[in-house]
Each structure stands twice: as C-alpha cells, then as structure tokens.
Amino acid sequence: MDRITSSYALIPTTELDGNPNIADLWPSPNGTYMQQVTNNNNNNNNNNNTIQQTLSNNNSIQSSPGLSYARRYAASKPPYSYISLITHAINGSPDRMCTLSQIYQYIQDRYAYYRQNQQRWQNSIRHSLSFNDCFVKVPRSTERPGKGSFWALHPDSGNMFENGCYLRRQKRFKIRDKTKDPNKSKITNKDKMSNLNLNKSHSSSSSSTISENTIGRLDSPGSSPRQATVSESLSVPLTQQYYHQHHQHYPQVPSQTTYSTESVPIIKTEYHHNPTSSSSIYTHQTYDTNNNGLQYLTSEHNQQYFHTIDQSASASFLHQIAPPPPGTFRIDNLINGQPDFKSFYSTMTGHETTSNYLDTTNTNNYYFNNTNPSS
DNA sequence: TTCTGTTTATATGCCA
DNA sequence: TGGCATATAAACAGAA
C-alpha cells in the first residue's frame, strides 16, 4: 500500500488568492492559515477529492467569481490537537478562562469538522482537560453562577507550541509533586494547584514581566493552609473583541474597530485561594493596570477588547487566536441577517440573493478578502 | 436528566 | 524498539 504523508505549512493570507486548494486551509492561532500538503506516492489525491466534494456542496460559491476570495476550511479534521484547540479557546477568551461549553462552542464555530460526532470529540476534550496538567480548573465566582467551572492554563505551562507544531507538543507539561507519596500516581486538580504553588515559590521572579499573583495552596486533609506568592505573565494587551454574537461571554464589537496600542489596557488576572473553603476554590479577578493602578474590569469592560498576541510576554502561552486577518471580512458577522448582507453577497459572489442569511450549515467558515478583485 | 469532570484502558503514531 | 504524546471509548460520580 502506498504511504500517504502529510505535513503542514503556515502561509500568509496574502498568498492565498487564487489558491485552488483553498478548501484545505484552517486558520492558525497566529493569524495565518494552515495548509495541509499531501504527498501521495500513488497520485491518488484524496485531499483534492475532499476539496471538490466540499465545493460541490455549495453551487453558488463554486461558480462565483468570489471564489478566489473565499477562505474556506475543509470539513476534514483540522491539524490541531485537542490540547491546542483548548489552549486557543482559553487564550482567546477575555478572562483567559473558559467553561467547558465555551470551549465546545469555540471549536465548533471555527471548525466544521467538529460539528459532527460531538459525543466523540467532546468526550476527548473533557478527557484532555482532566488529564493534562497544563489545564487547571477555576471555580465560578458568585457573580457568575452556572454549571461547571472555568478552565484556565497553568501559568507554568508556557508556550507549549512554540515549535509551531500544533499536533504534538515536544514535551508534555507535567506536574510532579515530590512531597507526596511516590507510589501515588493520581494527580488531581487539587494537586495541580498545589504543585503550581510549590513550583512558583521555588522559582525566582523569572523572565516574565508582569504581575504578581497570589495563589493559595490546596491542602490535603490534616495539613495547614499556607499562602504562596507567584509571578505570572498573564499580561496581555487587548485590542479587539472577536467573538461573534452568540457567544455569551464574547459578544461582538464591530469588526473594523481598532484600538491604539497606547490605549491598550494591560490585563492582569489573579487567582486567589479562598481559605475558608474546604475544597479547591480559586477565584480570579481581572484588572486594567493602565488606569491609575488597578481597576476591576467588569465583564462588560472586557468585552470591548480582543486578546492579541504579546510577543514580549514569553512565559505564558499567548498565542493569538486567529482573528480575521487584516483586510478580511468574517462572514460569521453577517449570519444574523444584518442589512448589508445582500450587497456584500452580491459584491463577493457576483450573484444576487434574496436572502438575508447565509446558509452556514456546511459553509460557516468563510473569510472574504476585502480587497477589490481588480486591484 | 443532562452536563461536567475524573479515571482507566487501549490504540496509534512519532521520535530518540 | 520503547517511551511518550495524543486520540478514543467507556464507566462512573457528582452537580446543576
């Protein structure tokens, strides 16, 4: 049997125009697109078959002159591991933490592949959250009641995908609590937070800039509580909110809105242990540190911004979650029947439509370049 | 009842 | 080739 090998390459958006294989692109976490390059010794290009099949599912797109401007991701599996998908979802959220359902929603919204077989991959997501030490659970505050906890990244997890490979990390982030019985293999979420504390208290105020977080130790029965101070680089400049309207916690702002770098707030997230609690209760607060010291940011405040990458803050995993690249227009913004949809559709496809909506059942993930086709 | 979270088991593929 | 990282399935418990 011939061996099919695949590799992935990041290509800038500007190189995509006229690319016949646009169906095989996925947005990457850094604003470019991921393209799967299939090398099949038998010239049996399954990839192209997939592309053509996908295109034929939407005649208006297939025959339109706007095709070369469409940014389309295949309904085949995106080249990201569950861990990287979860990480993107968390880093893309205003508070840098997500509920399980928000993670589900993030993934489904971005990747058509994950709109099917939900039971399968959602089980895997839950497993990944529980199993991997890089994810820690942050219980809800009383102001935000609901089901399930928030999930955040362990501050020590760093940039787990700095090698650019989103399928497999070079090394798994693991917590080892040497103070515990070496025969004990189970690491609970309690252990994660406890260990986080120990690690941090032993580390110097490392590389990262930013803020000082107070994290309490989660105590095993019989032990006495203690507090530890840790440094954490969760300082993130925020520019523009990205998530579209049906995200409860990530409401949309106009896609053209920009914020000057100077006015971008620095967001600091703190985790606080609640010593009165008998279980692993860690609360969080988010501040804007640019505004005369610390100011608590309400969720409404946070909604004005969108996390973007901070190259200077290296200790935390700060990947951009792939907002629509400059010069592109996100079709998702129009799916709720906004009045400019008809003219937009006409401009981009050369066809008229009487509908105020785009059927996004299978084609939810299109990007259209704003550039004039003749230019 | 459904969702969330934990754990175990197994399979697959990559890499040193 | 063994170890590791990841994917998938499934059982189970607890919370909303």
Side-chain angles (χ1 to χ4, degrees), chain A residues 219-285:
Chain A
D219 302 288
S220 54
S223 64
S224 57
R226 90 181 161 80
Q227 293 282 326
T229 300
V230 300
S231 295
E232 177 182 8
S233 85
L234 282 175
S235 182
V236 181
L238 305 177
T239 56
Q240 185 179 351
Q241 178 56 254
Y242 153 78
Y243 284 93
H244 47 85
Q245 288 173 336
H246 68 266
H247 279 286
Q248 185 180 354
H249 295 288
Y250 313 140
Q252 182 189 31
V253 296
S255 59
Q256 300 303 318
T257 305
T258 56
Y259 298 87
S260 73
T261 310
E262 289 73 22
S263 65
V264 166
I266 301 299
I267 297 302
K268 168 184 168 181
T269 300
E270 292 187 345
Y271 296 85
H272 298 279
H273 178 49
N274 179 354
T276 63
S277 168
S278 59
S279 61
S280 60
I281 300 299
Y282 288 83
T283 59
H284 74 279
Q285 287 183 299

Side-chain angles (χ1 to χ4, degrees), chain A residues 10 16 57 128 149 157 162 170 196 250 254 308 333 346-347 353:
Chain A
L10 288 175
L16 297 183
N57 287 340
S128 293
S149 304
S157 61
E162 61 191 350
Q170 283 185 326
L196 175 155
Y250 313 140
T308 186
N333 295 342
S346 172
T347 300
T353 178

Side-chain angles (χ1 to χ4, degrees), chain A residues 94-113:
Chain A
D95 292 336
R96 301 179 74 73
M97 56 179 69
C98 284
T99 62
L100 181 63
S101 62
Q102 285 173 327
I103 294 170
Y104 290 162
Q105 197 64 55
Y106 173 93
I107 293 170
Q108 288 182 93
D109 285 352
R110 294 182 78 78
Y111 306 104
Y113 175 83

Side-chain angles (χ1 to χ4, degrees), chain A residues 292-305:
Chain A
N292 297 324
L294 297 181
Q295 175 190 359
Y296 180 69
L297 286 176
T298 65
S299 56
E300 290 76 19
H301 196 164
N302 279 340
Q303 286 165 12
Q304 298 172 41
Y305 309 103

